[in-house]
Amino acid sequence: MTIAITGATGQLGRLVLSALLRLDVPREQLVAAGRSREKLRSLRELELTTARIDYGDPASLDAAFDGVDTVLLISSSEVGSRVDQHRNAVEAAVRAGVGRLVYTSALGADRGKLLLADEHLATEELVTGSGLPWTIVRNGWYTENFEPAVHYAAETGLVLSNAGDGRVASATREDYAEGVAAVLAQDGHAWQTYELSGDDAWDHDELAATLTRVLGREVVHRRLSPEQHLAALEESGVDEATARFLVALDANIEDGALELVTGDLSRLIGRPTTALEQALRTIAGDSYV
C-alpha cells in the first residue's frame, strides 16, 4: 500500500510522515510530495521517495499520484485559492485511480461558524463526490497557534482577546498528525468523517491561569471589544491583515466554532490528547520558569 502525503514539506506533513514511520509503515511505501525543492532534498536524505508538486500544476500531481493507493490531501495554505487547487488534486487522484482519498478539513466545517469553513466544506464536497473511497479528517485548532500569546504574556503579564467566554478544544500539531497517520495506516476508515480536537476545551481565563503557572508570573486575561483588540494588535506591530484575522477568529471562538469535543482524536491515537499546560510548557521552552 503506497501512501502519498501532499504538503509533506510543511509542519503537519512532516509530522505525519514521522508518525507513519513509528507505526512501522515501510519507507518504500511512502511518497513525500511537496513544493519546496530544498525541503524535499532533506526528506530524500531520510531515504524517502519524494515528488515535487504544485497544486496549481495538474501534471505534477498526476506524476506524484501514479501507482499510489492512498492520497493524503493536506489543505493548501493559500486562502482564497484553495478550492481550485484542491480540485486539481482531487481530479488527479481520480485519474490515477487511487484506492482512497483522505482530506484534512476544519473542525465543524459544516456548522458554518469558522471563517475558514467555506473553502474546506467546498473541498469536502469535491472529495465525497469524487467516486473514490474517502475519509474526511476535520482538524481542530493547534495549541502551537498560541505561541505569540505565550511570548506576549511573558513580556506583559496579559492575554488579550475578544473571545469572551468562548472555549477552544485545542491539541498539539503532533496529536493531529498521529490521528491522521492512524487513519492512513489502518483499515476501516473509508467513508468516515472524523472531528478531531483536544479532550478538554478551555477559555482565555483558563489560558491565562495556565500561563501563570508555566511562566512563573501572574498573567491575566484582559477582555476587549473587537475594536480594542484590533488596535492593540496593530500597536504591538501585527500587520493589519493578520490583526483582522485574529480578531475575527476570536469572534468565531466566542461563537463556539472551536469548542467541539468528540473524543475522536484520542480514540484514534490511543491516548489522551496533550494537555494545555504540557503543550504551553513545550512552547515556552527553557526561557521561563
Side-chain angles (χ1 to χ4, degrees), residues 159-242:
V159 167
L160 305 180
S161 90
N162 55 280
D165 293 321
R167 306 186 75 81
V168 181
S170 70
T172 64
R173 189 177 279 107
E174 185 157 343
D175 289 340
Y176 290 112
E178 288 185 16
V180 173
V183 168
L184 293 170
Q186 301 167 358
D187 294 328
H189 298 293
W191 321 113
Q192 301 294 318
T193 297
Y194 295 108
E195 300 276 8
L196 303 191
S197 60
D199 293 334
D200 300 295
W202 47 264
D203 63 23
H204 280 68
D205 288 341
E206 292 169 275
L207 175 62
T210 305
L211 285 171
T212 295
R213 296 191 297 272
V214 168
L215 299 175
R217 63 166 298 174
E218 184 180 9
V219 178
V220 298
H221 173 210
R222 179 170 293 173
R223 295 168 179 249
L224 303 175
S225 69
E227 296 76 16
Q228 290 170 327
H229 193 194
L230 179 63
L233 288 168
E234 292 182 333
E235 184 178 343
S236 68
V238 178
D239 66 89
E240 181 181 359
T242 301

Side-chain angles (χ1 to χ4, degrees), residues 4 10 18 37 57 74 90 97 100-101 103 120 145 150 163 168 190 198 205 211 213 224 238 254 275 277 289:
S18 296
R37 287 188 172 88
D57 179 7
I74 292 180
V90 171
R100 184 168 49 135
L101 182 57
Y103 173 61
H120 285 295
N145 289 342
V150 173
V168 181
D205 288 341
L211 285 171
R213 296 191 297 272
L224 303 175
V238 178
E254 184 175 32
E277 182 165 341
V289 174

Side-chain angles (χ1 to χ4, degrees), residues 77-98:
S77 60
E78 296 180 29
V79 176
S81 301
R82 290 197 278 195
V83 178
D84 288 339
Q85 292 178 335
H86 295 164
R87 181 180 291 107
N88 288 338
V90 171
E91 290 176 351
V94 171
R95 288 192 295 271
V98 306

Side-chain angles (χ1 to χ4, degrees), residues 26 58 102 114 145 230 260 273:
V102 179
L114 190 63
N145 289 342
L230 179 63
L260 186 63
T273 59

Side-chain angles (χ1 to χ4, degrees), residues 31-44:
V31 176
R35 188 164 53 182
S36 168
R37 287 188 172 88
E38 180 180 354
K39 293 178 180 178
L40 286 173
R41 280 196 294 271
S42 70
L43 291 173
R44 284 197 294 274

Side-chain angles (χ1 to χ4, degrees), residues 1-5 16-26 29-30 70-72 100 102 135 137 177-190 268:
M1 181 182 70
T2 306
I3 304 170
I5 295 91
V16 171
L17 283 169
S18 296
L20 286 167
L21 293 171
R22 291 196 300 273
L23 291 172
D24 295 325
V25 176
Q29 293 182 6
L30 299 176
T70 298
V71 168
L72 171 63
R100 184 168 49 135
V102 179
T135 309
V137 181
E178 288 185 16
V180 173
V183 168
L184 293 170
Q186 301 167 358
D187 294 328
H189 298 293
L268 283 171

